[in-house]
Amino acid sequence: MTAGRLPAEWARLLGLQHVATGRSRMRLQNDSALWFPERLELDHALGKVVGLYAAEGWRTRHQVIFALHREEKHLVANVARFARSLGIRAVVAPVSENGIKVTVSSRLFSSLMGFFVDGDRASTKFLKPATLRGPKVFLDGVLEGLLE
């Protein structure tokens, strides 16, 4: 099976050094044939997705799922657009009469959300210190995502 590539700096920050190849990029098995940007700016778009994840998401090791209302099409678009900016596909599927599930199947994306938010359910989730040290534009996005 082929593997995707991950910048070494991202891997270090995300705690994924164990998959290092010894070069400047790293391999993640389920992210096959994807090349990720060298740097990820802590901007409003990323902040909003992190906030949405903290408010409406959960993750496994290989995917991130957002549970949204069918009327929240703008939020579905935000998550899908951000995933596409990383070369990752988001799958949108109805789960009930009013519910929509947005699934981003990527170990990188899951690790990225885990870097900023810890906890595995609504009552235990919290923003990590790295999130709170972000620039104002990023924090504005996080807050917007939490409140949407």
Side-chain angles (χ1 to χ4, degrees), residues 61-125:
R61 190 170 160 212
H62 296 283
Q63 62 183 203
V64 178
I65 300 102
F66 296 82
L68 302 169
H69 190 273
R70 67 179 167 85
E71 297 296 323
E72 295 177 316
K73 293 179 174 86
H74 62 293
L75 300 180
V76 171
N78 274 308
V79 172
R81 186 179 318 113
F82 185 77
R84 273 194 315 273
S85 76
L86 297 177
I88 304 167
R89 187 170 62 116
V91 176
V92 180
V95 292
S96 68
E97 184 178 330
N98 292 318
I100 290 181
K101 177 173 75 169
V102 181
T103 304
V104 181
S105 295
S106 165
R107 189 169 168 190
L108 167 71
F109 198 82
S110 179
S111 295
L112 185 61
M113 293 301 107
F115 179 77
F116 293 110
V117 180
D118 206 353
D120 57 1
R121 59 182 180 273
S123 63
T124 62
K125 273 197 241 167

Side-chain angles (χ1 to χ4, degrees), residues 23-38:
R23 296 186 295 183
S24 64
R25 296 191 183 264
M26 301 182 79
R27 299 182 188 282
L28 293 176
Q29 186 177 11
N30 75 324
D31 292 325
S32 61
L34 296 178
W35 286 85
F36 305 105
E38 287 289 329

